[in-house]
Amino acid sequence: METVIYTVLPGNTLWGIANFFGTSVEEIAAINNLSDVELIYPGQEIKVPVGKPMAPRYYVVRPEDTLYAIASRYGITVGDIQKMNKLGNPNLIFPGQILKLR
């Protein structure tokens, strides 16, 4: 199982970290021998098993982005992005545009 070392930031929760990295609270707790999943603190380094990153709710298009690249990065389809954002032409996106991804 591949892992990364993550430094906990203020406001982080294990649920949020697990959600971001595509894993579960239980997996993070087990790999770090955490008995209380509510007790993490800023600056703490934890091992996180890496899965497929979950798509953020919204995404801001960057220069050189394509719908295909965005979809591939988050494991969703171009068609899904088009439908959620009512996009006619998948080739017409622009930097700064906000796209709904889930």
Side-chain angles (χ1 to χ4, degrees):
M1 171 187 320
E2 184 179 348
T3 62
V4 296
I5 302 297
Y6 178 78
T7 303
V8 177
L9 300 173
N12 278 161
T13 63
L14 279 188
W15 183 87
I17 296 167
N19 192 34
F20 180 81
F21 284 101
T23 188
S24 70
V25 170
E26 293 78 17
E27 288 178 336
I28 295 173
I31 201 167
N32 290 283
N33 297 316
L34 299 175
S35 56
D36 185 351
V37 297
E38 299 293 323
L39 188 60
I40 60 172
Y41 55 89
Q44 180 180 9
E45 291 186 341
I46 56 175
K47 289 186 236 175
V48 180
V50 180
K52 187 143 189 97
M54 183 175 199
R57 190 171 310 277
Y58 295 98
Y59 179 83
V60 179
V61 176
R62 296 179 281 199
E64 307 301 319
D65 268 342
T66 64
L67 284 189
Y68 178 78
I70 296 166
S72 295
R73 185 178 309 138
Y74 294 110
I76 55 181
T77 69
V78 169
D80 289 341
I81 297 173
Q82 281 183 273
K83 287 177 193 170
M84 283 185 273
N85 294 280
K86 299 180 179 129
L87 300 174
N89 184 340
N91 298 313
L92 292 177
I93 60 172
F94 54 91
Q97 182 177 5
I98 298 172
L99 298 175
K100 185 175 184 177
L101 298 186
R102 57 181 171 104

